[in-house]
Amino acid sequence: MSDRSNLGVDRHPGPNYRDIIRTDPGPLNQYLALESNPPQSTADIAYERYTSKAFFDEEMQKMWRRVWQYACRVEHVGEEGDYFVYDIGRISILITRAQDGIKAYYNSCLHRGTKLKPSGGGGWSPSLQCPFHGWDWHLDGSVKNIPCKWDFAHVDEAKFRLPEVRVDVWNGMVFICLDPESEPLMDYLGVLPQHFEKWGLDNWYLHLHTCKELTGNWKLVREAFAEAYHGPFVHPEMCLVLGDVIMQYDSFGPNIARSLTPYAIPSPAAPKRLSEQELLDGMLTDPSLHQKRLVLKDGETARAMMASKAREQMLRDYGIDCSDMSNSEMLDSLQYHIFPNIFLFAGTSLRMIQRARPIGNDPERSTYEVMIFRPVPPGQPAPPPADAVHLREDESLVSVDGFNPFLGMILEQDTNIMRLQHEGMHSSAKLGETLGRYQESPIRVNSGNKRGHSVP
């Protein structure tokens, strides 16, 4: 897995991500030291995968119904009677906590099909009652009451249990799967549980959740965040502090990929080279990290200083000892991709989940979600998970109370490009996209039919 001669891909000349983390002082996380990017086809990927209604319909049937999907946090259904509604396309799933644990059902009344609970969030309910005619089910899915039961003598209540959907939990995350024959969740996740032994989210809470509607296929959202090749052109302000084209891309089986991007390392595309002191001065914009200007000694690097200050902050603010964490775990963007639509960030610098989903039955409308996590304060109960803030396409993430303005600006630059890409696909005389062999390999991994259910 770590033999670079077997990668079969081109790389940026000069130091790469592995070279950087191996020269960092202190411990080196064994999983970040791995490299796995097997050769792939270089054939174009057809634009109809993003624009065709027929392809979208087949995708809904052959892919979305067969994969494990992250639906909500355990805290959303922490107590008996709590429920949360998760939608994918036109399919709505009702997740609740019964006496014997978390359950998931198709969110549809067995009387006349009405949604048992509305989409868009969750709440608490002692039972699952249809708002139309009052048919009611216990939280375990068994029939509780059928109004005017005398009129339904033909209904066998034992056969009218709510149809269940498979549900499982990992890392404080609730997953659902519509396919009763699919492999167990832990098999689906492959190397992920092992890699995340130190990076669990069980003691973190959902601090901020945004949900923004976008024009364009959901895969455009996923793929925009899967590579950093676009960095020098879409995010030029990041070139001085982020090693975009140095990013490492890995694939660990059919469902897990990742992108590793070094922070406090300038991009090879940077218009100028800063000294280590200038680099540090430019990054220290958070007053909680320091009270006065930090001056580097001879031989010290901005990267090492930033990592040291981040460790101090985690211990001071949250009681978390990060002395065994490498500089990369403290600073870098460590992004794991869970097929088909989840980005899960590791380490400590940015604990975030990004999710892309289609809206309804439209291949050209999607939802982009950002979920920001923070450690549970020591000695205190976890705060309740944040409610989702819903945004129209013309509303900015920066406008959301508590959203980091700089992060919001960067993410808005990405979403603005997605509209242009969507429009350009429709007007192209060329029928498909031509991808780089390495920097855009995550797109090809996600698009390749590596499993029967990956794509139709």
Side-chain angles (χ1 to χ4, degrees):
M1 180 177 293
S2 61
D3 184 355
R4 195 174 303 165
S5 65
N6 292 328
L7 296 181
V9 291
D10 298 327
R11 299 291 294 270
H12 182 274
N16 58 40
Y17 186 77
R18 289 182 75 199
D19 296 329
I20 292 168
I21 64 174
R22 288 186 182 280
T23 58
D24 280 338
L28 173 63
N29 183 284
Q30 60 177 320
Y31 300 118
L32 296 182
L34 297 175
E35 209 171 8
S36 175
N37 195 308
Q40 303 176 47
S41 167
T42 56
D44 281 5
I45 294 178
Y47 288 143
E48 67 176 7
R49 300 171 64 88
Y50 307 88
T51 61
S52 164
K53 181 61 164 61
F55 186 91
F56 177 87
D57 291 342
E58 197 171 4
E59 194 174 58
M60 290 301 303
Q61 291 298 320
K62 294 184 177 180
M63 190 274 287
W64 285 111
R65 288 184 176 274
R66 299 177 65 182
V67 297
W68 282 95
Q69 304 174 50
Y70 166 54
C72 65
R73 289 284 298 173
V74 169
E75 305 93 87
H76 285 112
V77 286
E79 303 292 337
E80 186 174 347
D82 289 346
Y83 69 86
F84 189 89
V85 176
Y86 170 77
D87 293 341
I88 185 66
R90 286 185 170 178
I91 304 169
S92 186
I93 303 300
L94 174 57
I95 302 162
T96 189
R97 184 176 288 273
Q99 187 175 22
D100 59 344
I102 298 175
K103 302 284 189 179
Y105 307 105
Y106 287 93
N107 188 19
S108 177
C109 179
L110 299 184
H111 175 213
R112 286 171 61 180
T114 306
K115 277 186 176 180
L116 296 171
K117 299 296 180 183
S119 297
W124 182 88
S125 180
S127 62
L128 305 175
Q129 186 178 56
C130 178
F132 196 178
H133 297 92
W135 283 45
D136 203 1
W137 284 265
H138 293 288
L139 299 175
D140 67 2
S142 61
V143 173
K144 179 180 180 181
N145 181 48
I146 298 177
C148 298
K149 190 174 180 180
W150 56 265
D151 204 17
F152 293 90
H154 53 291
V155 170
D156 182 350
E157 291 188 3
K159 296 181 180 179
F160 263 63
R161 294 183 61 91
L162 291 176
E164 290 195 44
V165 171
R166 293 175 68 193
V167 62
D168 205 347
V169 174
W170 170 74
N171 198 27
M173 303 164 67
V174 179
F175 290 79
I176 60 97
C177 181
L178 306 180
D179 182 4
E181 304 299 324
S182 182
E183 71 267 57
L185 173 64
M186 296 305 285
D187 291 345
Y188 186 90
L189 294 176
V191 303
L192 205 61
Q194 187 180 29
H195 283 216
F196 270 73
E197 288 173 351
K198 288 175 59 180
W199 305 324
L201 282 174
D202 290 324
N203 293 317
W204 296 62
Y205 70 97
L206 181 56
H207 168 69
L208 191 64
H209 184 184
T210 60
C211 184
K212 182 169 181 173
E213 293 191 16
L214 298 173
T215 298
N217 188 269
W218 68 275
K219 293 188 291 296
L220 295 183
V221 181
R222 177 190 70 186
E223 294 167 7
F225 295 103
E227 48 85 7
Y229 177 39
H230 66 275
F233 310 99
V234 179
H235 315 297
E237 56 278 282
M238 294 295 291
C239 284
L240 295 175
V241 297
L242 193 71
D244 40 39
V245 299
I246 306 174
M247 179 185 274
Q248 177 177 312
Y249 302 92
D250 296 303
S251 173
F252 300 103
N255 303 318
I256 304 299
R258 75 175 178 187
S259 306
L260 308 175
T261 313
Y263 186 59
I265 298 292
S267 166
K272 61 180 179 178
R273 187 79 180 188
L274 300 179
S275 69
E276 289 295 323
Q277 185 64 56
E278 290 172 327
L279 187 59
L280 180 65
D281 292 341
M283 291 186 298
L284 283 177
T285 58
D286 185 352
S288 66
L289 288 176
H290 62 102
Q291 295 179 342
K292 62 181 181 179
R293 183 173 183 260
L294 298 173
V295 179
L296 295 173
K297 299 177 182 178
D298 289 343
E300 287 186 325
T301 66
R303 179 174 171 86
M305 178 62 76
M306 288 293 293
S308 175
K309 291 302 174 183
R311 291 186 188 93
E312 291 177 9
Q313 183 188 31
M314 292 298 291
L315 185 62
R316 181 185 69 242
D317 295 350
Y318 303 110
I320 298 177
D321 181 3
C322 296
S323 59
D324 64 339
M325 292 274 192
S326 62
N327 287 356
S328 53
E329 292 169 275
M330 299 306 301
L331 296 178
D332 294 347
S333 172
L334 312 176
Q335 185 185 81
Y336 281 74
H337 314 168
I338 307 175
F339 185 84
N341 67 329
I342 293 295
F343 293 112
L344 174 62
F345 286 71
T348 63
S349 63
L350 180 60
R351 300 312 308 267
M352 179 170 73
I353 293 176
Q354 294 173 302
R355 179 168 61 186
R357 287 186 283 172
I359 295 178
N361 206 34
D362 189 346
E364 302 190 274
R365 296 289 295 165
S366 59
T367 295
Y368 166 54
E369 293 174 82
V370 179
M371 303 167 217
I372 306 291
F373 293 83
R374 285 187 177 176
V376 176
Q380 300 181 31
D387 293 330
V389 178
H390 293 269
L391 301 172
R392 300 186 309 271
E393 187 168 9
D394 62 345
E395 294 179 304
S396 172
L397 294 170
V398 178
S399 68
V400 176
D401 186 34
F403 207 106
N404 181 284
F406 186 75
L407 175 62
M409 178 193 72
I410 296 298
L411 298 180
E412 287 290 340
Q413 290 170 339
D414 288 308
T415 58
N416 290 339
I417 284 293
M418 292 174 207
R419 170 181 279 276
L420 297 178
Q421 186 185 15
H422 165 73
E423 294 172 351
M425 284 182 170
H426 280 285
S427 63
S428 177
K430 182 170 169 284
L431 299 181
E433 56 186 354
T434 303
L435 302 178
R437 294 177 62 195
Y438 185 74
Q439 293 185 93
E440 294 171 306
S441 58
I443 298 173
R444 197 175 296 282
V445 167
N446 284 327
S447 298
N449 192 4
K450 303 181 69 177
R451 298 165 61 96
H453 66 233
S454 289
V455 292

